[in-house]
Amino acid sequence: MTFTAAALGGLLAWRAGAFQWDLWLATVLGLMFAHATNNLLNDYTDSRRGIDKDNYYRNQYGVHVLEDGLMSESQFWRYVGVTAGLALVLGGWLIYQRSGLTLDLMLAGAFFVLFYTWPLKYYGMGEPAVLLVWGPLMVGGSYYVLAGSWSWDVTWLSLVFALGPTTVLFGKHTDKLEADRSKGVNTLPVILGEAASRYSVLAMIAAQYLLCLALVWSGSFSWPLLLVLVSLPVLPQLFSVYGKPKPAEPPADYPSGVWPLWFSAFAFQHTRRFTSLFLLGVIVDTVLA
């Protein structure tokens, strides 16, 4: 996901005639090491707060280096030192090369790396943070580092991409709403309630299509962006799933190993399809341009 965001920013910079391999590679690696640092700090924070202890949901979508005993705490902090150190070195080099907003973008990224799990996720700010980070911050920031200027067209396009992972996260937090509430993790779905959360995901999915239509209508991008409309036939099933509460038990034909994830699984399925078509559309549009 992080690589794709940086690749999208790089593609748009190439489209603008401002691509530089050294700056792009440093940006990609810096973002990926920063993301790795964030994942590790997420594990540490939720482990120490008891959130991930015996957490069935957590083990459905990844291993947990501390709870699963894959490394000691001293090994863990050495690992964090490596990933964070590399991210800082690469970020420092980019600031030296480009200056301007690059320092501000790096400081904003560092804020989300350090504080996403706590306090942001605990107070309903985790989901908006994901939208901001994987949209304007990563895609728009990657473009800025390469082109040396901010683009609002890129910013709006980045939101189409970022809404995808945000719907998956929103779905996941809706799936485990009661589990989070019982442990005092007030994600946005916990605050909104299940029904409002389900409708929020549908609104975000609709926004992805509407943003693509608006970007083509405004002339910022051309018709290949409308390839996303090929995904429209899957929407009735998606709306049917999100139009009802989560079932108490998985249907008989539900894939094994996925339950208790429900809303997030359907959101992921749509995001994978939509994002593939979206990226293809951007590539074709860029080649034609």
Side-chain angles (χ1 to χ4, degrees):
M1 184 168 63
T2 296
F3 175 84
T4 304
L8 181 57
L11 176 66
L12 295 170
W14 180 73
R15 176 193 184 104
F19 186 84
Q20 296 183 56
W21 276 106
D22 55 346
L23 294 179
W24 182 74
L25 287 172
T27 300
V28 170
L29 292 173
L31 289 174
M32 291 179 73
F33 280 119
H35 190 178
T37 303
N38 173 254
N39 284 346
L40 290 165
L41 293 177
N42 286 350
D43 280 359
Y44 179 81
T45 301
D46 282 344
S47 178
R48 291 299 169 266
R49 287 177 167 269
I51 303 301
D52 285 339
K53 184 175 179 60
D54 300 322
N55 187 332
Y56 185 46
Y57 284 96
R58 177 63 179 79
N59 288 330
Q60 286 297 101
Y61 56 88
V63 296
H64 193 300
V65 294
L66 293 173
E67 290 295 329
D68 293 342
L70 299 180
M71 61 176 68
S72 67
E73 191 164 323
S74 61
Q75 290 174 319
F76 172 88
W77 287 113
R78 286 198 296 272
Y79 205 138
V80 170
V82 170
T83 58
L86 288 169
L88 288 170
V89 168
L90 290 164
W93 184 76
L94 289 170
I95 291 169
Y96 173 76
Q97 293 292 321
R98 187 57 82 187
S99 66
L101 287 177
T102 311
L103 175 60
D104 302 279
L105 292 166
M106 181 177 172
L107 291 175
F111 172 80
F112 289 114
V113 165
L114 294 173
F115 301 116
Y116 167 76
T117 302
W118 190 90
L120 296 179
K121 187 174 75 173
Y122 280 65
Y123 295 97
M125 295 301 295
E127 296 82 7
V130 166
L131 180 64
L132 180 62
V133 168
W134 271 275
L137 192 58
M138 282 196 185
V139 179
S142 297
Y143 176 88
Y144 177 86
V145 167
L146 295 169
S149 61
W150 190 263
S151 168
W152 286 106
D153 284 344
V154 171
T155 302
W156 285 110
L157 189 75
S158 75
L159 290 176
V160 179
F161 171 76
L163 279 166
T166 305
T167 61
V168 177
L169 179 70
F170 224 99
K172 183 181 74 176
H173 287 172
T174 305
D175 280 331
K176 61 192 189 82
L177 187 154
E178 294 301 331
D180 280 339
R181 178 182 284 141
S182 68
K183 296 189 176 185
V185 183
N186 294 309
T187 62
L188 202 49
V190 169
I191 294 170
L192 295 175
E194 190 199 59
S197 298
R198 290 189 277 111
Y199 297 138
S200 294
V201 172
L202 294 179
M204 286 187 282
I205 289 172
Q208 288 184 287
Y209 292 93
L210 292 174
L211 274 172
C212 287
L213 290 170
L215 287 168
V216 173
W217 179 80
S218 68
S220 300
F221 297 87
S222 60
W223 65 264
L225 208 59
L226 299 182
L227 283 172
V228 298
L229 299 180
V230 175
S231 287
L232 287 177
V234 305
L235 292 187
Q237 181 196 27
L238 193 66
F239 274 63
S240 174
V241 168
Y242 273 85
K244 297 175 288 191
K246 180 179 177 178
E249 300 289 339
D253 59 347
Y254 198 64
S256 61
V258 178
W259 189 264
L261 301 180
W262 176 255
F263 294 121
S264 55
F266 284 97
F268 174 77
Q269 192 174 44
H270 173 266
T271 295
R272 181 174 58 183
R273 182 185 181 95
F274 178 94
T275 303
S276 298
L277 292 165
F278 169 71
L279 293 173
L280 177 62
V282 175
I283 292 169
V284 173
D285 188 36
T286 299
V287 171
L288 293 177

